[in-house]
Amino acid sequence: MTEPKHPSSHRPLRIGVQLAPQHGSYTGYRDAVLRAEELGVDVVFTWDHFFPLTEPFDAPHFEAWTVLAAMAEQTERVEFGPLVNCSSYRNPDLQADMARTVDHISARAPGAGRLIFGTGSGWAQHDYDEYGYEFGTVGSRLDDLAADLARVRARWDRLNPPPTRRIPILIGGQGERKTLRLVAQHADIWHTFTSLYELPRKIGVLHEWCAREGRDPADIELSTGYTVRGFGPLLERTDAASHLYDLGFRLIVPAIDGPDYDLAPVKALLDWRDRINGL
């Protein structure tokens, strides 16, 4: 059977990096962001958690949206955003206002904001428990995300001033009944950590939801990532990067831990990007 491929011939290949805001100083994190931009990455992501995700769990850690505001001011070229914002942690109208403000901070010319609004339903129960949020269930959190996304878009339309551009929405996740439907309804970018071998089926499900929702799947950019610790689809086989490209993925995002933020693994991906894009 022929694997489903996502329509993406109109998109260039992009390389991002997710810099984990854990285990180091803010100065080290800021310098890693600037080094990534200088190296030539297209997008710099943080994450939205309140504690480290890897040991030691009591190590230093920094909050997402204040870090994003700093990124907006410090960088000149890269797009950036949370991978992903946890919609449970903040009122959706407030999320919209924060995103609009960060978008304006990042603009270096009229209409040139650089924020990507990456969002999802949340999963780290320790964050919820420590900060007093109701954890609920996977289903209830996804239902809340569905309601929140509509409110975010509506608030952007009412803010004065409005965002500098139509802020791209990235949705992270891979659930077939609810998440991929939300992607078909709302997302400009779908980000998944799905196993490489599961991706063709997930793409097929996304295309089915796009047909039901009246959405052209070509309007959605496919994104995936991996960690330098060896987890995730890109490291499962030697030809994985090329296979992802053939499936239609156009944003590849390695995740780099602190405190040293070794960006050397990203260089090979940037060289591959330039070859693919004919640069």
Side-chain angles (χ1 to χ4, degrees), residues 20 59 69 83 99 112 124 126 137 188 195 240 271:
L83 190 62
H126 182 50
T137 66
D188 301 286
S195 162
D271 291 342

Side-chain angles (χ1 to χ4, degrees), residues 43-61:
V43 188
V44 177
F45 290 107
T46 187
W47 67 34
D48 187 15
H49 295 286
F50 302 132
F51 302 94
L53 296 185
T54 58
E55 294 181 345
F57 297 116
D58 60 350
H61 190 276

Side-chain angles (χ1 to χ4, degrees), residues 19-140:
L19 300 174
Q22 64 175 16
H23 296 164
S25 67
Y26 175 72
T27 300
Y29 189 84
R30 178 199 63 204
D31 291 348
V33 170
L34 296 176
R35 285 192 289 116
E37 181 173 55
E38 183 178 5
L39 192 62
V41 302
D42 298 293
V43 188
V44 177
F45 290 107
T46 187
W47 67 34
D48 187 15
H49 295 286
F50 302 132
F51 302 94
L53 296 185
T54 58
E55 294 181 345
F57 297 116
D58 60 350
H61 190 276
F62 298 97
E63 190 275 332
W65 279 95
T66 41
V67 164
L68 289 167
M71 276 192 202
E73 190 66 63
Q74 292 157 359
T75 58
E76 297 290 332
R77 176 190 55 79
V78 291
E79 289 191 290
F80 63 97
L83 190 62
V84 289
N85 169 73
C86 178
S87 203
S88 306
Y89 297 163
R90 304 164 191 89
N91 173 285
D93 293 273
L94 174 61
Q95 293 175 46
D97 205 341
M98 293 164 63
R100 180 281 311 254
T101 300
V102 171
D103 168 71
H104 274 265
I105 295 170
S106 71
R108 298 295 180 263
R114 294 175 287 120
L115 176 74
I116 294 173
F117 184 71
T119 195
S121 59
W123 60 270
Q125 186 169 355
H126 182 50
D127 287 353
Y128 285 80
D129 292 345
E130 283 284 339
Y131 278 61
Y133 299 113
E134 181 180 351
F135 188 55
T137 66
V138 172
S140 68

Side-chain angles (χ1 to χ4, degrees), residues 210-221:
C210 285
R212 294 183 194 182
E213 297 294 334
R215 183 87 186 276
D216 184 351
D219 292 340
I220 302 170
E221 183 177 17

